[in-house]
Amino acid sequence: MNICIYSSVEQAASAATLLIAAQVIKKPQSVLGLATGSTPLPIYRELIQMHKGGLLDFSKVVTYNLDEYKGLAPDHPCSYKRFMRENLFCGINVPQGSIHIPNGLASDADNECLAYDAAIARIGGLDLQLLGLGANAHIGFNEPAAQFTAHSHVVQLTDRTISDNRRFFGEGEPVPTHALTLGIQPIMQAKHVLLVATGSGKADAVRSMIEGDVDPMVPASILQMHPCVTIVLDADAASKLSGR
Ligand code: F6R
């Protein structure tokens, strides 16, 4: 694991942005795995700025998002489809047909997951997978469990994740209890994994991911087995690593 620690969230986000930009410049037809949530927001803002400044062209890029809430329509204000449109795709030039996000309304969600894995395999896998980190160490919505699940699947979200995600939903609005998520296999088969974690709320998860055993109860710990992982942290997220 290549672990990079920055003094602020902004510096961590800029470092992650540069890694993504370098990937797109090196290989304009890159297949990017993308995440939602608070962590990537400053990264997406910087990518938009770089695109608007003429530095980055996404016209040949293909994207696959990690996950989507089961039961939310693509236009629901809290769907990840809408999140991606409003926070990234509205400001860069990935062609519509090159954007992939699991369909939360699929009538057969298991089949939707199978088809998603097959599409990623057909295109040759992900060149770069961007990940955030759950406070419970989930990656995508691979929640702590008795075993790792290789393939993409429908998952029941833990109470912790549901309460962490409540902040994105309106007062009194129910938070979905299930999601479609990329499994561990397509994440582990990505050529490069870039995990970004910021804030003290992630410090315990960061420590277990890096210093604990590989354990499906700490889903991100599987990344210890990946040959090319970059972990970008701010000082708060890194604060519980030994030696700090
Ligand atoms: C989002 C995702 C999740 C988030 C994680 C951290 O697509 O897959 O694993 O990356 O829950 O969320 P934030 O960044 O909001 O703390």
Side-chain angles (χ1 to χ4, degrees):
M1 283 177 155
N2 177 23
I3 301 164
C4 311
I5 303 172
Y6 295 88
S7 49
S8 68
V9 178
E10 293 73 26
Q11 285 175 1
S14 294
T17 306
L18 287 178
L19 286 171
I20 299 169
Q23 171 69 43
V24 172
I25 290 166
K26 185 176 74 184
K27 182 177 176 189
Q29 69 280 24
S30 287
V31 182
L32 302 181
L34 297 177
T36 59
S38 311
T39 310
L41 285 174
I43 300 172
Y44 292 162
R45 277 196 291 272
E46 286 193 46
L47 288 174
I48 290 173
Q49 272 172 17
M50 290 178 87
H51 170 66
K52 296 217 154 122
L55 295 171
L56 272 186
D57 173 27
F58 292 87
S59 62
K60 297 194 177 72
V61 163
V62 176
T63 68
Y64 285 86
N65 261 77
L66 278 167
D67 38 28
E68 179 59 283
Y69 288 116
K70 186 168 188 292
L72 287 199
D75 253 356
H76 187 285
C78 296
S79 78
Y80 286 166
K81 175 118 193 199
R82 178 111 169 231
F83 175 99
M84 290 306 295
R85 191 172 66 224
E86 291 177 353
N87 292 295
L88 182 63
F89 295 132
C90 64
I92 63 174
N93 64 333
V94 181
Q96 268 309 310
S98 302
I99 295 171
H100 305 89
I101 300 178
N103 177 4
L105 284 187
S107 55
D108 184 341
D110 293 330
N111 199 46
E112 170 75 8
C113 291
L114 270 178
Y116 206 66
D117 277 350
I120 292 173
R122 242 186 344 263
I123 202 164
L126 304 162
D127 288 305
L128 176 70
Q129 173 65 62
L130 173 65
L131 295 175
L133 179 67
N136 65 1
H138 69 215
I139 47 176
F141 275 138
N142 290 276
E143 295 280 48
Q147 53 198 22
F148 293 108
T149 304
H151 49 84
S152 299
H153 56 284
V154 177
V155 63
Q156 176 162 10
L157 301 174
T158 60
D159 292 345
R160 174 82 188 263
T161 298
I162 293 170
S163 81
D164 284 350
N165 290 354
R166 193 170 297 286
R167 70 192 194 278
F168 295 110
F169 288 76
E171 183 84 13
E173 195 180 346
V175 182
T177 56
H178 290 75
L180 287 70
T181 184
L182 209 61
I184 292 295
Q185 182 170 309
I187 295 173
M188 290 299 283
Q189 287 177 342
K191 293 180 188 71
H192 183 188
V193 174
L194 168 59
L195 182 142
V196 184
T198 52
S200 55
K202 303 293 173 69
D204 286 319
V206 164
R207 190 192 47 213
S208 331
M209 163 179 72
I210 295 173
E211 296 181 353
D213 293 336
V214 175
D215 179 348
M217 289 305 290
V218 182
S221 64
I222 191 80
L223 297 176
Q224 292 177 25
M225 317 283 285
H226 193 288
C228 184
V229 185
T230 305
I231 312 275
V232 171
L233 307 172
D234 73 341
D236 287 340
S239 60
K240 294 196 175 166
L241 289 175
S242 62
R244 287 189 59 83

